[in-house]
Amino acid sequence: MTTTTTAEDLFPTRLATPTDFIERTQPAVWGEVGDGPFTASELEAHERRGYTVLDDFITADDVALYTRELDRLAGDPALKDDPRMITERTTGTVRSVFEVEKLSSALEALARDPKVLGRARQIVGSDVYLHQTRINYMPSFTGTGFYWHSDFETWHAEDGMPVPRAVSLSIALTDNYPFNGGLMVMPGSHRTFVPAVGETPDNNHEQSLQAQEAGVPSHAAITAMAEKYGIDQFTGAAGSALWFDSNIMHGSGNNITPYARSNVFMVFNSVDNALVEPFAAKSARPEHIASRDFTPLG
């Protein structure tokens, strides 16, 4: 088992002036075929593209169960003023609920399900812990998207994640069409780290979870990345799953259709890639956004 935790800043970001992109040397897949459910061809494709789509990852009954949990949490009056509840800036409707494994026994069990945990361990090549969990809502007509970004850029700058040895899982609870704000990814872009320009504002999470502004790439950077890697979109029926690398460039547009979109989102980080002090922020984000409980899931 290789330990990757380091206080050395291998991915400088939030800089005063633009700098060159950084070509990553760490793999996307750290484990091997015998370590989990992914096949050799699936692992090779994930290493190359930075993402994997699995249709029918959970059953219709599971979708119904997690949807009920989603609705329960969104409507829970006890969470109205809870910092884990994030609302849309303009409409006040629920956008995300964080730390769902502590709010729902069903979602906590999902994180430990062998078909989930086995794949997470296989990709990062070690035991894992939950860096972050949330449920995302994109309501019909008024749902706002997420601007182009790399999650790892934020997790490195504001949480202190040393290297991109983490994998995210997004499970669709509604059908994802090309037109209702589905997630877009740049295949292969996980190989390239794009440093951001500008200092991190104090308590940036209070604004960024509604609309991310600090840490996002410039139009020129997005254009260069799109021309190099192209853009794919995650579409599929409820129950499908997207596994994607922490550094892949991704985003989503607004949803002006009558078809709402929602998903469960979980981030598995290697226990050998535990958080240190933030690399480009004055203080670490709260525990419900970036956990510092590095106890392995089992």
Side-chain angles (χ1 to χ4, degrees):
M1 183 177 292
T2 303
T3 300
T4 58
T5 300
T6 175
E8 181 183 359
D9 190 353
L10 302 178
F11 299 92
T13 188
R14 313 287 171 98
L15 306 173
T17 58
T19 61
D20 292 338
F21 297 166
I22 298 171
E23 295 305 313
R24 160 185 175 174
T25 60
Q26 301 83 10
V29 176
W30 295 70
E32 299 178 353
V33 174
D35 295 336
F38 282 121
T39 66
S41 61
E42 288 173 332
L43 291 178
E44 186 279 328
H46 189 89
E47 178 67 49
R48 173 170 42 84
R49 297 183 307 187
Y51 76 93
T52 299
V53 175
L54 298 176
D55 295 324
D56 301 317
F57 186 67
I58 61 174
T59 67
D61 287 343
D62 290 333
V63 170
L65 170 62
Y66 303 137
T67 298
R68 287 195 298 271
E69 288 297 276
L70 177 149
D71 293 339
R72 178 181 66 81
L73 294 174
D76 188 346
L79 293 176
K80 181 179 179 181
D81 297 318
D82 193 297
R84 291 173 290 188
M85 177 80 79
I86 309 299
T87 58
E88 293 281 4
R89 181 179 293 179
T90 55
T91 64
T93 57
V94 177
R95 179 176 175 88
S96 301
V97 179
F98 280 77
E99 206 173 43
V100 293
E101 81 283 4
K102 293 187 178 179
L103 297 171
S104 166
S105 59
L107 293 171
E108 194 272 342
L110 175 63
R112 299 176 186 274
D113 189 303
K115 68 173 175 285
V116 171
L117 190 54
R119 285 180 167 84
R121 287 170 171 164
Q122 188 178 18
I123 289 175
V124 306
S126 70
D127 283 332
V128 296
Y129 72 94
L130 285 171
H131 171 70
Q132 181 186 107
T133 67
R134 64 180 187 260
I135 47 178
N136 293 322
Y137 306 78
M138 185 171 282
S140 58
F141 299 114
T142 61
T144 56
F146 292 85
Y147 192 72
W148 289 106
H149 65 285
S150 152
D151 287 332
F152 174 68
E153 192 281 335
T154 297
W155 299 341
H156 183 71
E158 300 184 38
D159 299 338
M161 184 178 289
V163 299
R165 193 176 178 179
V167 64
S168 299
L169 168 64
S170 176
I171 301 178
L173 298 182
T174 50
D175 294 342
N176 283 255
Y177 303 108
F179 45 75
N180 69 334
L183 192 71
M184 297 177 288
V185 299
M186 296 186 184
S189 63
H190 63 300
R191 305 301 320 162
T192 302
F193 180 82
V194 180
V197 176
E199 292 186 358
T200 306
D202 292 344
N203 299 316
N204 182 50
H205 66 277
E206 295 178 0
Q207 293 78 40
S208 66
L209 299 178
Q210 291 181 318
Q212 187 168 354
E213 295 174 355
V216 299
S218 67
H219 289 180
I222 294 169
T223 300
M225 293 284 280
E227 289 179 348
K228 180 175 181 179
Y229 295 112
I231 297 174
D232 290 346
Q233 188 171 41
F234 173 42
T235 59
S240 56
L242 172 69
W243 291 88
F244 60 104
D245 186 87
S246 59
N247 189 50
I248 199 167
M249 191 67 68
H250 63 289
S252 60
N254 295 342
N255 181 17
I256 61 172
T257 75
Y259 308 107
R261 188 171 68 84
S262 59
N263 68 290
V264 176
F265 180 76
M266 295 182 170
V267 182
F268 300 89
N269 188 29
S270 170
V271 295
D272 298 319
N273 191 39
L275 307 184
V276 294
E277 290 301 306
F279 288 94
K282 292 180 182 178
S283 59
R285 296 193 297 175
E287 283 275 342
H288 67 271
I289 301 173
S291 175
R292 291 180 180 269
D293 178 358
F294 310 132
T295 305
L297 291 174

